[in-house]
Amino acid sequence: MHSEAGAPCVLRPGIDGDLAVTDARGRARRWRRLANGDVQVELGCGEDAFVFPKGDRPDFGVRPVAPGGASVPWGLP
């Protein structure tokens, strides 16, 4: 997630088990789990956070992906 406001962000990640919350360089971010199970992440203006299952090593590289099947064309002809 990316903060444009610089305020704590509350999200419901839908990830079971323990979580890891890091910045883009893999450094731990300040966060806490709320009583209802939501996660509150402390973010300053312009900061990013990545939330994923603890112990995973996600690949955050951006690259094209293969299509998952046929799709309807869009845009101008």
Side-chain angles (χ1 to χ4, degrees), residues 3 5 9 13 18 20 22 24-25 30-31 36 38 40-42 48 50-53 57 61 63-64 67 69:
S3 174
C9 176
D18 293 335
T22 68
R25 294 183 179 178
R30 291 186 62 209
W31 68 281
N36 66 356
D38 291 352
Q40 179 176 320
V41 182
E42 302 295 327
D48 297 310
F50 299 89
V51 179
F52 51 93
R57 297 191 55 90
R63 59 189 156 276

Side-chain angles (χ1 to χ4, degrees), residues 6-22:
C9 176
V10 176
L11 64 137
R12 188 167 297 144
I15 300 171
D16 293 329
D18 293 335
L19 299 176
V21 181
T22 68

